[in-house]
Amino acid sequence: MTPTDPVTGKRTLRRPELRVLWQAVHDRLSSGRPVTRVRIGPLDEAQREALADLLGLDRLPPVRPSVALDRLEEAVTELCGRTVHEAVADLVGPLDNRAGDRRRQAAERAGLWTWLDGHHTVRAQPALADWAAACRSAGLVGGSPERTRHLLTDALTVLAALPAQAEPLPVFAARVLRGDAHALDDGTRLSSLVLRALATLHDTAPPQSAADRRALWVRAGVADDDLSSTVLAAGLRLSGGGLLARVTRVCAEAGQAACLTLAHLRAPGEFGFLEEPAPAVPPELAFPPAPVVPSAPVVHVVENPSILALAVRRFGPDCPPLVCTSGWPNSAAIRLLRLLADHGSALRYHGDFDGEGVRIAAYLLDKTPACPWRMTAADYRAAVVRHPHGPRPGRVTEAPWDPGLAEAMTGLGVAVVEELVSEVLLEDLSASYGRPYHRPPPEPPPPRARLCRDDLDGQGLEAVDEVGADVAGSGGEADVGEAGEEFLEHDAQLQAGQ
């Protein structure tokens, strides 16, 4: 069959009556799936005649015909020497690939959520896994994986920068979000996303009012001030004439804890660590020689002020370096720990064995170079053996440093607060720094009343008779105590005088 002149063939394909055919074919071919037939219609008389002429039919097709694609391919090639795909793209527009687009979009969505789940901030603070799951349930922003990733990236950037440096929210936003001071304004999508993450971290309900939102920001060190953000420290013997060195050194030498403000830590001045021998030990214990405290000692960190108070009371001026976060680490605590780490100190952290304690530990280990101190599943089980009765641990999330800890806490279902293991922690401090440590002696019984001569009235003589009767009743072997013996002896002397 001799092909038709291309110009004439194209004119035939462009007949208005065939427009409905080409639209239907374009739609089916754009599906991205294999196509063998295309159903069109309903067709009017003129459209049926045009389709019959195109396909070379000897009769009119039905009102709703099903056109075989291979037969259409032959007709189009004969008319203009082109394929159906080329002709339709020219007549209607470029073909889509909806199936391919769906596969690509599904892959982009899967890649987005995998990226979020594996992000360093989420993995370092497993409590944020619940927030990440909520983000996934909420879906894409405007149906766009790219826009959603951009928003989540900004949110994670903010979370990584917290706690803030006691600065107003617009100043903080401008510092961490490319100079955009209004990025975290109340009501923005980014602000809501970050606040939901903070509520998840602190295990509180999402904020519903402006006051709730301000409280969460303040808890994260935003809109705080240099004086209300404080951290407790003891035993920090720093050299140098800077403010931080002078304050901590005076307190350490006096055997007292120092309450450091963020203002102290913003301008710490030059400082280092004093080298000093460990406290003197008795001669019989002088071998091996007393160790020398290194220039950058290990700094232990605890969650609760009561532990620091016990250490100060027990060790006094010999207290090893110890920092207390007083719960969730604020701007001052994080800044102090980073300063100490930058000067070479190794940080070791211990906190409560409950749901919030694990979240606090994960947060601090993410924000500073600290390592866990007696915070493993084995440490928890040993503590539960000593203290088997306690409250439930609350919402337990994974501990990045020990995957078995969350399982152990969920299984045993007992919270162990830090105060219950204080003696173990103090012994560790003593062993680490060569500080003398003795368990406190048990409380002595209340002293017995001593009787004097003036007490020997009728009531006193009755008491003597009772004591004597007790001794006689026990075969004379009863322990009446020093006061009782003195009383009996005095009574015997009186009897002899008579």
Side-chain angles (χ1 to χ4, degrees):
M1 182 178 294
T2 304
T4 306
D5 176 65
V7 176
T8 304
K10 288 182 180 180
R11 189 179 303 116
T12 300
L13 296 180
R14 292 184 183 276
R15 291 177 61 181
E17 296 83 359
L18 293 176
R19 183 71 180 174
V20 64
L21 170 66
W22 304 131
Q23 286 284 5
V25 172
H26 185 279
D27 183 67
R28 287 298 310 280
L29 292 180
S30 293
S31 69
R33 296 175 178 176
V35 178
T36 58
R37 306 186 72 84
V38 178
R39 183 173 294 280
I40 59 175
L43 303 180
D44 59 23
E45 191 74 14
Q47 291 170 334
R48 295 168 67 195
E49 289 179 357
L51 181 58
D53 292 342
L54 176 65
L55 298 179
L57 304 177
D58 56 1
R59 67 184 67 184
L60 293 180
V63 175
R64 296 180 182 275
S66 176
V67 180
L69 192 62
D70 56 353
R71 178 69 188 89
L72 186 61
E73 190 80 51
E74 291 176 5
V76 170
T77 302
E78 182 180 347
L79 284 171
C80 62
R82 305 173 74 182
T83 66
V84 169
H85 287 74
E86 293 170 341
V88 168
D90 180 55
L91 293 168
V92 180
L95 292 169
D96 296 324
N97 185 346
R98 292 192 297 272
D101 290 344
R102 285 192 294 270
R103 289 191 296 270
R104 176 180 53 78
Q105 291 169 359
E108 289 178 352
R109 288 194 299 271
L112 170 67
W113 305 127
T114 300
W115 164 80
L116 178 60
D117 292 338
H119 193 277
H120 168 76
T121 299
V122 177
R123 291 179 63 85
Q125 301 180 59
L128 289 175
D130 293 341
W131 171 75
C135 293
R136 184 170 189 163
S137 298
L140 301 178
V141 177
S144 168
E146 183 179 355
R147 287 180 58 191
T148 306
R149 184 185 287 257
H150 179 76
L151 179 67
L152 289 170
T153 298
D154 283 351
L156 291 164
T157 299
V158 171
L159 293 172
L162 294 175
Q165 300 174 10
E167 53 201 330
L169 186 59
V171 176
F172 171 72
R175 180 169 63 84
V176 301
L177 293 172
R178 304 172 298 279
D180 187 353
H182 300 287
L184 293 172
D185 284 357
D186 203 21
T188 62
R189 193 190 298 268
L190 177 59
S191 174
S192 300
L193 192 61
V194 173
L195 287 171
R196 286 201 300 271
L198 292 176
T200 301
L201 271 179
H202 295 290
D203 201 21
T204 62
Q208 301 298 321
S209 66
D212 293 341
R213 292 189 287 273
R214 280 196 303 272
L216 265 181
W217 282 124
V218 169
R219 195 169 186 179
V222 179
D224 207 349
D225 62 80
D226 285 1
L227 299 181
S228 60
S229 182
T230 62
V231 60
L232 296 173
L236 290 181
R237 295 165 182 82
L238 303 181
S239 62
L243 176 63
L244 179 62
R246 295 202 306 272
V247 171
T248 55
R249 188 166 62 243
V250 167
C251 291
E253 291 171 352
Q256 297 292 329
C259 183
L260 304 173
T261 68
L262 186 58
H264 292 147
L265 300 166
R266 282 188 184 278
E270 293 295 327
F271 72 90
F273 291 96
L274 294 173
E275 288 193 2
E276 56 176 331
V281 295
E284 64 272 14
L285 301 178
F287 183 83
V292 174
V293 177
S295 58
V298 174
V299 176
H300 287 81
V301 187
V302 293
E303 177 185 341
N304 298 284
S306 55
I307 303 300
L308 185 138
L310 287 172
V312 170
R313 184 185 308 165
R314 194 67 52 82
F315 297 111
D318 293 324
C319 185
L322 192 62
V323 173
C324 175
T325 65
S326 301
W328 280 90
N330 58 21
S331 306
I334 296 299
R335 193 174 186 92
L336 173 62
L337 294 177
R338 288 174 176 172
L339 279 173
L340 296 174
D342 289 344
H343 281 71
S345 283
L347 307 177
R348 301 287 183 267
Y349 177 79
H350 186 278
D352 291 334
F353 279 120
D354 60 10
E356 186 171 33
V358 171
R359 290 191 294 276
I360 291 174
Y363 182 83
L364 186 137
L365 268 57
D366 178 41
K367 302 298 182 180
T368 71
C371 296
W373 167 33
R374 286 195 178 273
M375 288 289 288
T376 66
D379 295 317
Y380 168 71
R381 292 191 186 96
V384 171
V385 169
R386 296 191 297 270
H387 308 283
H389 304 295
R392 300 286 300 175
R395 181 170 71 98
V396 177
T397 52
E398 291 297 323
W401 61 91
D402 187 347
L405 179 56
E407 181 181 354
M409 293 177 65
T410 302
L412 295 176
V414 177
V416 180
V417 296
E418 199 171 27
E419 289 81 356
L420 292 178
V421 295
S422 59
E423 292 299 326
V424 176
L425 302 180
L426 295 179
E427 287 179 353
D428 279 357
L429 292 175
S430 176
S432 297
Y433 296 95
R435 296 320 194 228
Y437 174 79
H438 305 285
R439 287 186 179 271
E443 291 292 332
R448 299 180 182 179
R450 297 181 64 85
L451 300 178
C452 62
R453 183 170 301 172
D454 295 337
D455 295 324
L456 297 179
D457 52 11
Q459 183 179 357
L461 292 176
E462 290 178 5
V464 172
D465 293 339
E466 292 177 2
V467 172
D470 289 341
V471 173
S474 61
E477 299 296 332
D479 180 13
V480 296
E482 181 182 353
E485 291 175 358
E486 181 180 351
F487 189 56
L488 291 174
E489 180 181 353
H490 190 69
D491 181 62
Q493 292 174 358
L494 288 177
Q495 296 286 347
Q498 291 178 353

